[in-house]
């Protein structure tokens, strides 16, 4: 069976200029995320997590290698109607309201909402905002929102679109403990619905709680993919393994 | 198409809620209305002053609006990652560029309509004359501003937040005064080939705004106005199509 995401020898090289040196952000990375799996992506700052994610969603063109989503090369297929992405620092249009943002998303992603009536969309919008605790503020302009509330809105958007593949880039940053709990609940919900979630994080406890597998990268190279479900690693165990891998590479 | 309209619609909605733009428009409306107080001039002269002053102000405000809107909606949103909302959706990068351009042009047109509408009404109440020239000049200004928006979109995807508006302003001036620059070079003893090159580049290679004035229509007393406007419209359509296509092509493979 095809994987939901497959990176084969994926590389991204930034050629140097007068102010910056040449850099391999991602170096021959091989990664596979199976269908219906919650897959964590762990690595230090600058390891290449965000670059890899951006290549998967076509925001960056790889220097070399291939990315396949749902078994097809991303350059030949249109998979973004089945995929939702939440960026590391969420920034929405400040003069719009959450209700308008969801409506805007409907217009931008007609494939995700085909066959739904206006009433269905309104019910779906209400449900997603309620689930993320934003329904009270549905008509409040985003300029008045805190960073955490904006992050919640990004999660509401994911719920609203209900994609087959959800890609999250450090979704916990800026969230309070309550927000983290909501985030994990949403990931659990996607898991129950047999959707695929791929998310990067610095928080080992988040990853350990919801992920089936975790891939650890360093300087753009994959060090190991750990099957958390079969190894039954605790957060402490995973942290220990992570630190071990990092120091082993340093030696 | 629906995605382009959605991007344009929400840009318009955002901009109309921005206090900065509303304040700018109100100030312009008040300044134009101030001309009404100049009742010490003869009626015909007063009308001319109201039209000249008001339309120059509108043209300046419109130029500022398009440059500011396009740069803040394209370059600034790419830098702040706000644009990912659109770019990571089913919509393509070409939709993004076209939608932003459409929204900026619509919002600028709304502002221009308010100011030219005011000029039209002031002249009407002052002299009971229907100022057709206000309507024609509104159209000409909008044609010019749509080209300026496309040009700024191109610079916004290829350069930084500071360089993009600077280049737009620079080429806007060249577009207006390219022939005068060649004339000035001639007077200062510049070489024949330099002058001819400046003339050629400003007239044919860069957007040429020299003919986007109401002067020709007024001087000919509206004779041939339809033909003149048709030519300007055709030029605008071609220039916009070319500039927006280049922008979309350049932006297609850009790493974000």
């Amino acid at each position: 069976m095809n994987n939901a995401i497959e990176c084969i020898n994926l590389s991204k090289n930034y050629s140097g200029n007068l102010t910056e040196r040449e850099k391999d952000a991602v170096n021959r990375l091989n990664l596979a995320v199976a269908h219906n799996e919650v897959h964590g992506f762990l690595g230090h700052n600058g390891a290449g997590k965000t670059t890899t994610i951006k290549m998967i969603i076509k925001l960056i063109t790889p220097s070399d290698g291939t990315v396949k989503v749902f078994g097809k090369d991303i350059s030949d297929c249109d998979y973004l109607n089945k995929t939702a992405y939440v960026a590391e620092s969420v920034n929405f249009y400040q003069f719009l309201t959450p209700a308008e943002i969801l409506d805007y998303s409907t217009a931008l992603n007609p494939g995700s909402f085909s066959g739904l009536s206006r009433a269905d969309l309104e019910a779906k919008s209400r449900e997603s905002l309620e689930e993320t605790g934003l329904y009270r503020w549905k008509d409040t302009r985003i300029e008045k929102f805190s960073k955490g509330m904006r992050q919640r809105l990004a999660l509401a958007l994911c719920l609203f679109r209900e994609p087959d593949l959800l890609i999250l880039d450090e979704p916990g940053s800026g969230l309070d403990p309550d927000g983290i709990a909501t985030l994990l609940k949403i990931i659990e919900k996607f898991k129950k619905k047999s959707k695929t979630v791929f998310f990067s994080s610095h928080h080992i406890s988040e990853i350990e709680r919801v992920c089936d597998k975790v891939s650890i990268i360093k300087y753009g190279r994959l060090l190991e993919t750990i099957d958390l479900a079969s190894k039954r690693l605790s957060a402490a165990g995973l942290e220990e393994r992570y630190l071990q891998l990092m120091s082993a590479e340093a030696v | 198409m629906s995605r382009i309209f959605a991007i344009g619609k929400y840009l318009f909605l955002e901009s109309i809620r921005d206090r900065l733009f509303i304040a700018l428009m109100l100030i312009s409306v008040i300044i134009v209305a101030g001309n009404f107080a100049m009742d010490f001039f003869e009626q015909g002269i007063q009308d001319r002053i109201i039209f000249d002053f008001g339309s120059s102000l509108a043209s300046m405000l419109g130029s500022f609006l398009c440059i500011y809107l396009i740069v803040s909606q394209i370059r600034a949103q790419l830098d702040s990652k706000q644009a990912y909302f659109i770019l990571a959706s089913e919509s393509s990068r070409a939709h993004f560029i076209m939608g932003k351009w459409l929204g900026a042009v619509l919002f600028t047109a709304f502002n221009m309509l308010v100011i030219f509408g005011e000029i039209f009404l002031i002249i009407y109440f002052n002299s009971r004359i229907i100022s057709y020239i206000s309507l024609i000049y509104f159209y000409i200004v909008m044609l010019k501003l749509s080209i300026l928006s496309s040009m700024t979109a191109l610079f916004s995807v290829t350069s930084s937040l500071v360089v993009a508006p600077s280049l737009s302003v620079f080429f806007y001036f060249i577009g207006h005064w390219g022939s005068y620059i060649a004339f000035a070079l001639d007077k200062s003893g510049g070489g024949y080939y330099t002058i001819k090159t400046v003339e050629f580049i400003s007239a044919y290679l860069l957007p040429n705004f020299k003919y986007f004035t109401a002067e020709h229509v007024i001087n000919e007393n509206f004779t041939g106005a339809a033909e003149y406007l048709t030519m300007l419209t055709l030029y605008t359509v071609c220039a916009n199509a070319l500039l927006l296509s280049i922008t979309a092509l350049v932006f297609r493979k850009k790493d974000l």
Side-chain angles (χ1 to χ4, degrees), chain B residues 67 71 75-76 79 155-156 159-169:
Chain B
I67 293 175
V71 171
R75 184 71 260 163
D79 290 348
F155 296 136
S156 292
S159 51
S160 73
L161 204 55
V162 177
V163 177
S166 313
L167 284 175
S168 302
V169 172

Side-chain angles (χ1 to χ4, degrees), chain A residues 43-203:
Chain A
H44 58 90
N45 287 328
K49 300 188 295 292
T50 301
T51 308
T52 306
I53 288 177
K54 282 184 173 179
M55 285 192 277
I56 296 170
I57 50 156
K58 292 205 244 189
L59 287 176
I60 291 181
T61 314
S63 309
D64 200 10
T66 329
V67 181
K68 288 182 178 178
V69 176
F70 302 123
K72 286 182 183 163
D73 194 302
I74 56 166
S75 49
D76 319 320
C77 74
D78 198 7
Y79 60 95
L80 290 170
N81 56 345
K82 297 180 199 159
T83 310
Y85 161 69
V86 175
E88 190 181 347
S89 51
V90 180
N91 233 332
F92 285 110
Y93 305 108
Q94 55 173 344
F95 295 114
L96 301 182
T97 67
E100 285 166 345
I101 287 287
L102 296 190
D103 186 51
Y104 196 173
S105 170
T106 317
L108 292 176
N109 302 287
S112 307
F113 303 100
S114 60
L116 291 179
S117 68
R118 196 77 223 162
D120 292 337
L121 285 172
E122 271 168 26
K124 222 166 143 55
S125 157
R126 186 189 173 118
E127 195 188 321
S128 351
L129 290 173
E130 273 177 348
E131 208 154 322
T132 45
L134 284 178
Y135 190 69
R136 268 175 62 197
W137 289 283
K138 74 177 172 65
D139 295 319
T140 307
R141 285 188 196 173
I142 294 165
E143 62 179 330
K144 291 181 181 141
F145 280 20
S146 65
K147 194 183 172 200
M149 285 167 87
R150 286 167 202 229
Q151 201 80 15
R152 279 168 186 265
L153 179 56
L155 296 174
L157 257 176
C158 295
L159 282 172
F160 184 58
R161 283 188 61 192
E162 249 187 278
D164 290 339
L165 172 62
L166 176 60
I167 299 173
L168 308 163
D169 190 3
E170 293 180 27
S173 64
L175 285 178
D176 53 17
D178 193 32
I180 300 271
T182 310
L183 163 72
L184 297 179
K185 212 168 78 183
I186 289 169
I187 294 177
E188 294 277 6
K189 193 176 169 180
F190 271 87
K191 198 172 171 176
K192 272 185 199 147
K193 286 187 173 176
S194 302
K195 310 272 185 184
T196 310
V197 182
F198 180 58
F199 84 101
S200 76
S201 177
H202 284 302
H203 302 285

Side-chain angles (χ1 to χ4, degrees), chain A residues 206-225:
Chain A
E206 277 174 22
I207 293 214
E208 182 272 331
R209 249 183 80 181
V210 291
C211 290
D212 301 310
K213 278 185 187 167
V214 55
S215 291
I216 299 172
I217 67 161
K218 188 178 178 186
Y219 298 127
R221 279 176 177 272
L222 183 72
L223 297 184
E224 188 177 345
T225 296

Side-chain angles (χ1 to χ4, degrees), chain B residues 20-174:
Chain B
L20 172 74
F21 295 140
I22 299 302
L24 268 176
M25 197 173 73
L26 280 177
I27 291 169
S28 309
V29 166
I30 292 167
I31 294 174
V32 173
N35 285 294
F36 197 47
M38 294 190 296
D39 53 1
F40 42 83
F41 287 112
E42 270 178 55
Q43 215 160 49
I45 295 172
Q46 190 185 1
D47 288 347
R48 184 69 200 237
I49 290 172
I50 291 169
F51 175 76
D52 284 354
F53 184 76
S55 56
S56 309
L57 185 77
S59 180
M60 261 166 47
L61 174 79
S63 315
F64 168 79
L65 268 181
C66 331
I67 293 175
Y68 183 85
L69 263 177
I70 292 278
V71 171
S72 63
Q73 287 285 334
I74 296 180
R75 184 71 260 163
Q77 287 192 6
L78 289 174
D79 290 348
S80 70
K81 299 174 184 171
Q82 220 169 27
Y84 290 179
F85 175 66
I86 300 171
L87 297 171
S89 74
E90 288 173 43
S91 311
S92 68
R93 293 188 181 191
H95 286 139
F96 174 78
I97 295 294
M98 292 296 292
K100 292 293 184 188
W101 175 82
L102 179 71
V105 170
L106 283 179
F107 184 69
T108 311
F110 167 73
N111 279 270
M112 294 300 98
L113 197 62
V114 170
I115 298 175
F116 277 102
E118 188 191 10
I119 296 170
F120 181 87
L121 287 175
I122 289 177
I123 293 175
Y124 181 75
F125 284 115
N126 203 31
S127 319
R128 299 285 155 193
I129 291 170
I130 294 178
S131 171
Y132 292 109
I133 198 67
S134 301
L135 303 176
I136 291 172
Y137 195 50
F138 161 74
Y139 181 68
I140 292 175
V141 166
M142 276 321 300
L143 291 180
K144 182 173 76 173
L145 295 180
S146 72
I147 300 178
L148 180 62
S149 299
S150 314
M151 197 165 70
T152 312
L154 175 61
F155 296 136
S156 292
V157 299
T158 49
S159 51
S160 73
L161 204 55
V162 177
V163 177
S166 313
L167 284 175
S168 302
V169 172
F170 176 73
F171 285 109
Y172 184 61
F173 279 109
I174 295 279

